[in-house]
Amino acid sequence: MKSFHYLVVLLLIPVVLSAQKITGNASDSKGESLPFASIFVTDTLQKNILSAHTDEQGNFSLAISETFYSGTLTIRYMGYDDYSQKITARDFPLHLKAILQPAVNTTLNEVIVKAKQNAITMKGDKMIFNIDMAGIGLGNNGLETLRQVPGIQLDKDDNLLFRGNGDIQIMINGKKSALQGEALREYIRSLKGDDIASVEIIAQPSARYDASGTAGIINIILKRKKEKHLNGNAYAWASYGEYFKHQYGSRIYYSDSLWNISGNASYYKGNSVNHRHIRQDIIAPEGNRVIDQYNKWRPETVSKSLNLAVERKLSERQLISTDWSYSRSDADENTYGATYEFLNGAPVTTVNLSKHEQKPSERLTGNAFYSFVTDSTTTKLDIQANLARYTTSSSGFQRNDYADNSYMQLNGTNTTKYTIVTTQADLRQRLAQKLYLESGLKYSYIHMDYYNGYDAHNSSLSIIPDSLLINNFVYKEHLTSAYAQVDLSLGKWNLMAGLRAEYFQYEASSPINHQSNSNRYTNLFPSFSINYKKENNQYQLSYSRRIGRPGYLSLNPYYLYLDAYTLQKGNPALKPEYYHSLQLSYIYKSALNLSLYGYFYNNGFTDVIAYQPEENYNINYKANASTGKKIGFSATYPYQVAPWWTMQFNFEGTYSSESSEIPGFLYQGHGFRHEINLYENFTFKDWTLNINGFYAGRSTSPNGYSKAIGDFSVSAKKNLFNKTLQLSGGCTNILKKSFYHHVTQLQYVTTDWTNRWETRRFYLQATYYFGGGKSKSIKAASLNEETNRM
């Protein structure tokens, strides 16, 4: 290995020695850095010999070939006049402080056209989407801006999706957000679109990121201001579908030369409903059996959240910060339903279900963060520690009433407590002009206590054995990881390669049931990416090995009673699933974006619905299927029809193949899925109209199919009082067709499952913005990998 390192260094020496160096910083007249500004170097014949971008702080470093004698360096940023500087070889090494002046109105259209041609850049494992250059931030809030980034959509509840998958990590300024769920969504909504400098999409995370998950990372880079300012907003939101719900919130931010302080608070209260219908057609020895279930689940929820973050600059090169979030949710849930059983078309029995639960939950997260960077940005060191405490509980009853007037009732309590502690350090070191080394260490510890107890009336009618009516579970996990990766730029090429090593161990026990299980293993996760850019064309090829770890509770040998025909249980034998993940992407003129991607996996997680013919009920649990693959293609194309009319077209298609060798749940097959999404935006002075529609065709999977669905949403927005007050409203899923509907076909059982939440919803929101300037996000607690499995 040492010989290999020496060889790499020797090969790079000629590159470094032959380069002539230009460094500098790009900012505006107020001293605000201009992140991801475009840089061009042309020779005396106006031939472009080098293209680059500034980093997040507006810094740049260029290596010019020794054959260069004289020419011009140009820096371009949307809304500003071009900065041009004559350069000659005798000036090297050269350091520039480029100050760009705001563009006058007569040239703004030309500046926008030039900027849009450089709105998207692929570098390393990232696709960087420059919001100013794309011209989509002004007049939009944060969610409306992100919706126009290639590959990103919003679901019916305005949660972020990437390629149709909501299991993504959201980062703010390169740090995982301590906010989750509604709190995170409303924080992003509270941002102005022009608060955001850029959005990084990391579809194939490299070795520097946690190895779990395949959905990818969305990193939101916020603009930074140096002058003193106070700003924020307050909003009120109301919605009606089948029931009324409302939310209030506020965000405040203060900054000066030394301090950054931010705070967020929100309050939500509302009723929701889910209509569930499950029909099973079973080929049994005695004939054709049908189990037909209808459930109506109605939760009434009150939730509150509070976030406070403080950052202090110790010097020009050092800062410390802390970020704390607290949230509490209280849900009062009622479920009513009935199950009808038929045999050969004749009624057998009817069971009525009634259920009531109270579910309070609390979450506290916090962190301490330190960052150091050398003046030349040669070295950057980040150190952080994170803490999280979660408590969820429930209490209530569940009752089944049978046709013969008998009944069975379970009175139950459940409590789950999590404690999570993580520490990590990340170092970025420049080894040569265009060669960087990144390395880091991370340690995490998770402790979970789980208790579930039932008190049964007429337990002979319960499908849970009496010995398992009470269950406790203690889970402890240790994960130690280290990574190293190199990032090399050679003209039009950029290469990144890395390796992450993880040592994982856990212990799980259920003392009451005298059961325990444990495991430990070491894994290596390599990754690489190759980028090439030539004029209007950009290409990226990337690979990474990934892991999917079981949820903590999935390893618990618990039993959870769902209804008279359905029992849910844990699986102590569950193992991790492993992926080989690849992607090939192409971008043309910062507009057309094409991606071909694939996941090849083994031990893949499968949600098993195991029908027990002798007892006549289902056991639901997670298990490891054998092998499978998923190959997808996505295309995104934004188009400006007129100055007041923009639209974006998205297409997503996937092919999947999988086999399962689980007894009673055997299958081997393949399937196809496709979805089309069209987003349109109309702007008339202070009015904005949005129309968003989708169509998902009938899709097949290795063990079933989903029916075709399509719907569209409409919203309007009006800015008042010099854009300090914004009123918006609309209707989502007007056709009421956006819901889950899947049919599973296995051996002698066909299961038709529908979940229909409130679909068509009308909403109205008012947001008041106060103060001036742009905000900077403070490092938040990094706990996504640990909390995703809760």
Side-chain angles (χ1 to χ4, degrees), residues 3 16 60 92 153 161 184 216 308 352 379 401 417 432 436 460 466-467 483 494 498 542 554 711 730 745 781 789:
S3 299
V16 177
F60 60 89
F92 299 137
Q153 297 98 35
L161 306 175
L184 176 60
L308 178 64
N352 292 311
T379 304
D401 286 277
K417 296 180 180 180
Y436 287 87
S460 62
D466 288 344
S467 60
Y483 76 91
N494 174 255
S542 57
S554 299
D711 217 322
Q745 297 172 313
R789 293 183 285 139

Side-chain angles (χ1 to χ4, degrees), residues 456-717:
H457 171 81
N458 204 356
S459 63
S460 62
L461 296 175
S462 170
I463 54 180
I464 300 180
D466 288 344
S467 60
L468 297 175
L469 287 174
I470 297 178
N471 171 241
N472 68 330
F473 182 66
V474 179
Y475 178 90
K476 298 179 181 180
E477 175 185 297
H478 303 265
L479 176 62
T480 305
S481 59
Y483 76 91
Q485 70 180 26
V486 293
D487 186 341
L488 174 64
S489 297
L490 296 173
K492 299 175 181 178
W493 293 88
N494 174 255
L495 300 94
M496 177 183 287
L499 181 67
R500 188 178 189 90
E502 292 188 349
Y503 176 71
F504 178 91
Q505 59 177 329
Y506 78 86
E507 298 175 356
S509 63
S510 179
I512 291 178
N513 298 310
H514 307 288
Q515 289 183 295
S516 64
N517 60 301
S518 63
N519 199 0
R520 62 183 63 198
Y521 48 84
T522 301
N523 282 307
L524 298 177
F525 299 97
S527 65
F528 73 83
S529 63
I530 302 173
N531 295 272
Y532 177 75
K533 180 179 181 180
K534 183 178 181 181
E535 297 176 349
N536 292 322
N537 303 282
Q538 298 184 64
Y539 306 85
Q540 182 186 73
L541 174 65
S542 57
Y543 162 83
S544 61
R545 184 173 186 253
R546 313 291 295 165
I547 187 174
R549 297 189 179 89
Y552 310 121
L553 197 55
S554 299
L555 297 166
N556 175 12
Y558 72 96
Y559 284 85
L560 186 63
Y561 192 95
L562 299 182
D563 56 52
Y565 289 84
T566 313
L567 185 66
Q568 182 174 307
K569 73 171 186 176
N571 181 9
L574 202 59
K575 306 296 182 184
E577 55 183 347
Y578 295 92
Y579 298 85
H580 293 285
S581 182
L582 295 123
Q583 176 176 273
L584 176 63
S585 296
Y586 169 71
I587 295 175
Y588 177 68
K589 285 189 174 180
S590 287
L592 178 63
N593 184 355
L594 306 176
S595 291
L596 179 66
Y597 58 92
Y599 306 114
F600 303 84
Y601 58 90
N602 55 43
N603 287 333
F605 295 148
T606 300
D607 290 314
V608 178
I609 305 174
Y611 176 70
Q612 311 297 305
E614 295 183 2
E615 296 86 357
N616 192 28
Y617 66 84
N618 295 287
I619 297 180
N620 296 353
Y621 65 96
K622 280 190 177 293
N624 296 107
S626 55
T627 58
K629 60 186 175 184
K630 178 181 178 182
I631 299 173
F633 172 77
S634 66
T636 302
Y637 184 69
Y639 179 68
Q640 185 159 348
V641 183
W644 48 271
W645 180 10
T646 59
M647 60 192 304
Q648 180 165 298
F649 171 84
N650 299 304
F651 172 82
E652 189 81 26
T654 58
Y655 165 81
S656 59
S657 174
E658 187 177 85
S659 62
S660 168
E661 299 177 356
I662 301 169
F665 203 75
L666 299 173
Y667 63 85
Q668 182 174 1
H670 59 269
F672 298 90
R673 173 189 172 271
H674 71 276
E675 182 174 334
I676 298 171
N677 189 290
L678 182 63
Y679 172 83
E680 296 185 86
N681 185 82
F682 304 88
T683 303
F684 308 97
K685 295 185 178 179
D686 288 328
W687 282 93
T688 301
L689 174 67
N690 293 306
I691 302 176
N692 184 33
F694 79 94
Y695 174 78
R698 185 182 188 274
S699 63
T700 56
S701 65
N703 59 13
Y705 65 91
S706 295
K707 296 182 179 180
I709 58 173
D711 217 322
F712 71 98
S713 303
V714 176
S715 64
K717 179 174 57 182

Side-chain angles (χ1 to χ4, degrees), residues 125-128 149-150 152 162 199-203 217-219:
D125 57 353
K126 304 172 183 177
M127 182 183 75
I128 304 169
V149 174
I152 298 179
F162 178 63
V199 177
E200 298 176 350
I201 297 179
I202 309 171
I217 298 169
I218 296 176
N219 183 24

Side-chain angles (χ1 to χ4, degrees), residues 738-758:
S738 181
F739 57 89
Y740 174 84
H741 187 180
H742 187 77
V743 178
T744 302
Q745 297 172 313
L746 292 160
Q747 297 176 292
Y748 49 82
V749 180
T750 299
T751 304
D752 187 320
W753 190 312
T754 301
N755 272 348
R756 185 191 295 269
W757 284 92
E758 292 176 286

